[in-house]
């Protein structure tokens, strides 16, 4: 049986003991950054693999740096803490890890300088976050993606997720699965918590960093292996019309993994079935994360 453990105030402790004071600064202002990491269990190999731990550690610390969160920790130290927590927990199933760096002082006044920050991590067992088998029904959100110059979208800043929550609720309350954001210039940005790709004339296209997106680690991984597999992958501005008329549309993200879109604003995408390119990308992704591709085993951190 796995143990429900968390990393809190410098120690690994039972999760029910990891409790925050209601005056915690980050809770008032969303002044925190977080990560989302998956580890996949391969029952044949009897091992658990963290996907792209190096990249996740780097992004979390860079997110903290962008906001000037007062934490002194190296990438190596952060990776070791994550590894130790996963090992001590003893999971033999797919899990999701949520590390976050938050302003932990009991203080008022929104700011990043001169407020103590801390690291905390918890773990949840998790399979699909959105269905990866059936097509997702989506809408273009009436909410615009927060601009990179309002809250840096390359940082996974807690406060920025008010924007995501508004879009997600609007989509679900309209009977749909997910929302797609446009950026402040009106170009396609991303989903509420995932990056977006379209297929056009057989080419894979995804909004570039200038469209107020999070630089997804899944996105980066897909771009890398799709190119190696001979696909042309282009990062550029994507218009709303291109979304509606794309041959295929899919999302990528740690939570969403690789999930495909069958409908946007009542327009059917392609023939409403999973597209050929998406299917190839999705199959390869699931093989890679379960350590069934030696070529990509360096993306995985083996736990046991
Ligand atoms: N965009 C947003 C807004 C997200 O929250 C996420 C999830 N982390 C992603 C994209 C996908 O990023 P990643 O592949 O690193 O999980």
């Amino acid at each position: 049986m796995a143990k429900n453990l968390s990393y809190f105030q410098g120690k690994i402790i039972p999760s029910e003991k990891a409790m925050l004071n209601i005056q915690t600064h980050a809770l008032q202002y969303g002044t925190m950054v977080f990560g989302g990491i998956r580890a996949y269990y391969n029952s044949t190999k009897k091992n658990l693999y963290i996907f792209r731990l190096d990249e996740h550690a780097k992004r979390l610390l860079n997110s903290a740096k962008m906001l000037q969160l007062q934490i002194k920790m190296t990438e190596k130290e952060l990776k070791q803490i994550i590894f130790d927590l996963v090992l001590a927990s003893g999971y033999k199933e797919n899990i999701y890890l949520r590390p976050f760096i938050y302003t932990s002082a009991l203080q008022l006044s929104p700011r990043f300088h001169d407020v103590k920050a801390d690291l905390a991590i918890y773990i949840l067992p998790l399979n699909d976050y959105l269905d990866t088998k059936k097509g997702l029904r989506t809408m273009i959100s009436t909410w615009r993606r927060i601009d990179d110059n309002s809250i840096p979208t390359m940082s996974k800043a807690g406060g920025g997720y008010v924007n995501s929550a508004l879009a997600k609720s609007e989509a679900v309350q309209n009977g749909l699965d997910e929302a797609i954001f446009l950026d402040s210039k009106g170009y396609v940005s991303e989903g509420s918590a995932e990056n977006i790709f379209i297929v056009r004339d057989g080419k894979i296209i995804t909004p570039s960093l200038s469209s107020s997106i999070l630089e997804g680690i899944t996105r980066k991984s897909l771009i890398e292996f799709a190119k190696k597999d001979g696909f042309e992958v282009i990062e550029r501005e994507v218009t709303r019309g291109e979304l509606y008329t794309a041959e295929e549309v899919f999302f990528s993200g740690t939570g969403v993994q690789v999930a495909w879109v069958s409908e946007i604003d009542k327009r059917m995408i392609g023939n409403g079935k999973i597209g050929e390119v998406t299917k190839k990308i999705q199959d390869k992704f699931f093989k890679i994360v379960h350590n069934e591709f030696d070529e990509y085993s360096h993306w995985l951190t083996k736990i046991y």
Side-chain angles (χ1 to χ4, degrees):
M1 259 303 269
K3 289 183 226 155
N4 184 2
L5 302 175
S6 293
Y7 180 85
F8 187 63
Q9 295 176 341
K11 289 198 285 274
I12 293 175
I13 59 168
S15 292
E16 72 268 15
K17 297 215 165 102
M19 302 295 251
L20 282 176
N21 189 299
I22 58 165
Q23 290 180 29
T24 304
H25 188 269
L27 190 59
Q28 324 298 320
Y29 306 114
T31 37
M32 57 88 83
V33 294
F34 65 99
I37 309 176
R38 273 191 190 260
Y40 290 87
Y41 190 69
N42 180 322
S43 51
T44 313
K45 297 190 179 199
K46 295 198 175 11
N47 222 319
L48 183 66
Y49 303 96
I50 304 179
F51 183 60
R52 307 220 72 173
L53 179 58
D54 294 12
E55 291 285 334
H56 280 285
K58 196 185 296 166
R59 186 174 69 193
L60 186 67
L61 293 176
N62 274 338
S63 292
K65 180 179 181 179
M66 273 180 262
L67 304 193
Q68 293 188 297
L69 277 157
Q70 304 294 310
I71 188 130
K72 283 203 178 62
M73 181 171 289
T74 64
E75 228 174 278
K76 196 166 165 221
E77 286 163 347
L78 174 58
K79 283 192 289 185
Q80 191 63 50
I81 292 169
I82 294 173
F83 182 89
D84 291 346
L85 177 64
V86 175
L87 183 64
S89 303
Y91 285 100
K92 293 196 168 59
E93 62 189 306
N94 296 341
I95 55 170
Y96 182 84
L97 287 101
R98 167 56 52 83
F100 58 99
I101 298 171
Y102 63 107
T103 52
S104 55
L106 309 184
Q107 283 173 10
L108 289 177
S109 160
R111 66 189 189 282
F112 285 105
H113 73 280
D114 193 27
V115 196
K116 187 175 183 294
D118 267 312
L119 167 74
I121 312 169
Y122 66 84
I123 301 180
L124 299 172
L126 186 72
N127 287 310
D128 278 0
Y129 162 79
L130 284 176
D131 204 323
T132 53
K133 294 190 186 70
K134 84 170 190 29
L136 301 175
R137 299 178 58 228
T138 68
M139 65 179 282
I140 304 228
S141 185
T142 64
W143 299 97
R144 285 294 167 105
R145 183 76 183 125
I146 35 167
D147 196 79
D148 191 43
N149 281 306
S150 301
I151 297 176
T153 49
M154 268 178 78
S155 70
K156 267 182 80 74
Y161 280 77
V162 170
N163 187 224
S164 296
L166 287 168
K168 180 79 183 187
S169 286
E170 180 187 41
V172 172
Q173 287 170 340
N174 277 293
L176 302 167
D177 301 300
E178 190 50 285
I180 299 168
F181 278 120
L182 302 182
D183 67 14
S184 57
K185 297 173 293 222
Y187 293 110
V188 177
S189 179
E190 58 183 340
S192 72
E194 52 276 325
N195 293 113
I196 194 163
F197 288 81
I198 67 169
V199 178
R200 200 160 191 246
D201 299 327
K203 294 177 189 139
I204 300 175
I205 303 163
T206 193
S208 53
L209 296 186
S210 56
S211 291
S212 293
I213 64 165
L214 177 76
E215 189 176 20
I217 292 164
T218 319
R219 172 185 181 276
K220 203 169 171 179
S221 306
L222 300 194
I223 292 173
E224 192 176 325
F225 77 69
K227 278 185 179 166
K228 273 201 190 144
D229 287 352
F231 286 106
E232 191 173 337
V233 187
I234 306 160
E235 295 175 60
R236 63 153 169 86
E237 282 168 339
V238 174
T239 67
R240 183 173 187 153
E242 285 183 298
L243 262 192
Y244 292 150
T245 55
E247 289 139 29
E248 304 178 28
V249 177
F250 62 91
F251 288 126
S252 78
T254 299
V256 84
Q257 307 172 103
V258 179
W260 59 283
V261 174
S262 59
E263 181 189 312
I264 305 173
D265 290 344
K266 311 239 170 2
R267 282 105 171 144
M268 188 197 278
I269 301 305
N271 60 6
K273 303 212 168 66
I274 187 164
E276 222 174 278
V277 176
T278 308
K279 181 90 181 73
K280 276 190 190 147
I281 299 283
Q282 193 188 55
D283 286 350
K284 182 131 190 183
F285 172 79
F286 281 117
K287 283 196 177 131
I288 290 173
V289 296
H290 286 96
N291 198 16
E292 287 162 13
F293 252 107
D294 285 349
E295 201 185 330
Y296 294 97
S297 60
H298 64 284
W299 283 357
L300 306 172
T301 302
K302 188 166 100 172
I303 297 297
Y304 305 118

